[in-house]
Amino acid sequence: MTTVVPSGLARKIRKTLETRTETVEFLASLATLSDFYGDNTAAERRHLRSTIESHALSINQQFLQSVDGVIATLDAVDAHLEQLADCCREVSGALAASKAKSADMLSENRRLSQSLETSEGRSALVQQFLQQYQLSHDEVYALNEEEVDEGFFEALERVRVIHRNCRELLRGQHQRAGLELMDAMALHQEAAYERLCRWVKSECRGLGEQEEPDIAPLLHRAAQALRARPVLFRFCAEEVAAARHGALFQRFIAALTRGGPGGTPRPIEMHAHDSRRYVGDMLAWVHQSLAGEREVLVQLFGDDSSSAPGEGAMSSASAAEMPSIAELLDRIFESICKPLKVRIEQVLAGAPPLLLCFRLAQLLAFYGDTIAQLAGPRSAVAQALAQAQEAAARSFREQLAARAK
């Protein structure tokens, strides 16, 4: 006999049979259920659905309680954010007000910055102008200081450079400024050269005391600088020539009568009995002294082709005012011309033999040409030797003519 199963029960049975109990989800559900499910009784199984729903309700209530705390926290954060927003609005308003108030100050600051840049540019131009056209306090002090040193020559060179720069101003639109600066520099130059001339003259006064003086480089530089002022240079050169003039005369007389230091070499006049040696020794002493004096003058003043440092070629008029080395030598050796000529004439007055007259004439001619190359053919010493040579030659011709008769 076949039993008929109600359709609803059949569906449940079928659904239960179709349920897959080996899936992970199903096993996880059973594990969760075992946590809160009690004894497996008929009553518990009847109330299984309500137990699960109660447990789900409990979970939802716990979630709601947790959410309430989160919501309260979010509300607090939202309140703080509102406060921050209010503070930001206040700060923004304050900044806007401050910006509005400081707009004039910023504008003034920009204007002052531009004025500062302009002033700094003008200050740089002024400093550059002063550097090119003005002397510093140290340079002015060096020019006016009593002692002449390297600083003096550096300041003097600086004056010359400024004077040259002023010429550039005269070519442009600043002629008045150029003239005023040139006048100021000219005053400094003239005062400096006058001081330099006085210093050189004072230093040169002691040169006559030494036969071979040691010329200091500073004195040589000072003498070279004076070439820019030919008149002052001549004053100093004549001062040196005068000092050497008297000293040379004293040395010549000492060489004739006393000889050298300690008696070596012996006095020249000790050989007065030997006329040829006597005259030759005097001429040799003159030639040696002439070479030594020329070396001293060249060391002090330079040769005739020298010019002032930083200066161009001198004009013909300025060059004519400059004493040459030959002129200075002539001035120095002028002192010994008379005693030398007198002694040679005394030898010739003693009626030396014919051969000796010839030898003396040749000796005087040789030294006359040599000395004329150093001191010049028109110098007093060269003229004196030329006259002595003519006298010796005349004596030779007279004796030769007398013998011919």
Side-chain angles (χ1 to χ4, degrees):
M1 176 177 178
T2 304
T3 303
V4 179
V5 179
S7 59
L9 181 59
R11 285 195 305 272
K12 291 181 180 181
I13 293 172
R14 191 168 52 254
K15 185 177 181 180
T16 300
L17 293 175
E18 291 177 356
T19 300
R20 300 180 61 183
T21 59
E22 72 278 3
T23 62
V24 176
E25 291 80 2
F26 186 79
L27 294 176
S29 299
L30 292 177
T32 302
L33 180 63
S34 63
D35 292 336
F36 61 88
Y37 186 69
D39 298 333
N40 188 13
T41 61
E44 291 292 335
R45 287 195 295 272
R46 284 193 298 270
H47 297 90
L48 178 60
R49 186 182 188 89
S50 61
T51 301
I52 293 173
E53 291 176 352
S54 297
H55 182 71
L57 180 60
S58 175
I59 292 173
N60 289 331
Q61 288 177 350
Q62 291 177 1
F63 175 77
L64 289 176
Q65 290 177 358
S66 300
V67 169
D68 288 341
V70 174
I71 292 174
T73 302
L74 292 175
D75 291 339
V77 171
D78 184 63
H80 287 301
L81 291 176
E82 288 294 335
Q83 293 178 358
L84 289 176
D86 293 340
C87 292
C88 290
R89 284 191 291 270
E90 292 178 359
V91 170
S92 178
L95 288 176
S98 176
K99 185 176 181 181
K101 292 180 181 179
S102 61
D104 296 338
M105 184 180 298
L106 293 175
S107 176
E108 181 68 13
N109 186 28
R110 286 192 295 270
R111 187 185 68 80
L112 292 176
S113 298
Q114 294 175 355
S115 299
L116 179 61
E117 292 179 358
T118 304
S119 299
E120 289 178 349
R122 292 176 179 175
S123 177
L125 291 176
V126 170
Q127 292 296 330
Q128 185 179 3
F129 180 83
L130 293 177
Q131 184 178 2
Q132 292 183 355
Y133 299 101
Q134 287 291 329
L135 294 173
S136 65
H137 294 292
D138 294 338
E139 290 169 341
V140 173
Y141 177 77
L143 289 176
N144 297 324
E145 190 181 4
E146 292 297 329
E147 186 66 23
V148 174
D149 53 11
E150 291 294 334
F152 175 86
F153 292 105
E154 292 177 359
L156 187 62
E157 175 65 15
R158 175 76 174 142
V159 171
R160 188 190 64 79
V161 172
I162 294 175
H163 197 275
R164 183 185 61 191
N165 292 339
C166 291
R167 297 175 185 173
E168 300 295 331
L169 291 178
L170 296 179
R171 299 176 184 174
Q173 301 178 356
H174 306 285
Q175 297 181 358
R176 181 177 179 181
L179 290 174
E180 292 179 355
L181 289 171
M182 287 185 72
D183 291 340
M185 292 302 107
L187 293 176
H188 284 299
Q189 266 187 330
E190 294 305 321
Y193 279 120
E194 290 178 2
R195 286 188 57 251
L196 189 60
C197 179
R198 291 194 299 269
W199 183 79
V200 171
K201 290 175 66 175
S202 65
E203 292 291 324
C204 290
R205 288 192 185 101
L207 295 180
E209 302 175 357
Q210 306 174 20
E211 183 176 354
E212 297 180 357
D214 185 14
I215 305 300
L218 196 65
L219 182 59
H220 171 73
R221 185 175 180 181
Q224 288 294 97
L226 284 177
R227 286 184 175 271
R229 295 295 184 270
V231 175
L232 299 179
F233 181 82
R234 176 174 285 276
F235 287 160
C236 294
E238 290 178 351
E239 184 75 22
V240 174
R244 305 295 293 178
H245 175 277
L248 182 68
F249 177 79
Q250 297 295 332
R251 293 201 304 272
F252 182 62
I253 298 301
L256 290 173
T257 58
R258 294 195 303 270
T264 304
R266 302 175 69 182
I268 296 176
E269 290 189 345
M270 289 187 64
H271 305 286
H273 60 280
D274 186 353
S275 300
R276 185 171 179 272
R277 180 176 180 180
Y278 179 50
V279 175
D281 288 348
M282 287 192 295
L283 294 178
W285 186 94
V286 172
H287 178 261
Q288 181 180 0
S289 297
L290 186 64
E293 291 298 323
R294 188 181 189 280
E295 183 179 357
V296 171
L297 294 177
V298 170
Q299 286 181 358
L300 179 58
F301 298 112
D303 54 22
D304 295 334
S305 62
S306 300
S307 61
E311 300 289 338
M314 292 184 298
S315 62
S316 58
S318 299
E321 296 179 1
M322 302 284 289
S324 65
I325 297 297
E327 292 177 8
L328 296 177
L329 288 174
D330 182 25
R331 177 74 176 86
I332 295 172
F333 279 82
E334 185 182 3
S335 62
I336 67 169
C337 289
K338 186 175 181 179
L340 176 63
K341 184 178 179 182
V342 168
R343 283 163 173 78
I344 296 176
E345 289 176 349
Q346 288 176 351
V347 172
L348 296 176
L354 177 66
L355 182 58
L356 181 58
C357 287
F358 178 77
R359 289 178 176 177
L360 290 177
Q362 294 299 313
L363 185 64
L364 288 169
F366 170 76
Y367 277 104
D369 292 340
T370 304
I371 291 175
Q373 294 177 5
L374 296 176
R378 295 184 179 181
S379 62
V381 65
Q383 292 291 331
L385 293 180
Q387 295 172 6
Q389 190 270 340
E390 179 61 27
R394 185 170 56 253
S395 178
F396 169 74
R397 288 192 299 269
E398 291 176 352
Q399 291 188 38
L400 186 63
R403 288 194 179 187
K405 293 179 181 179

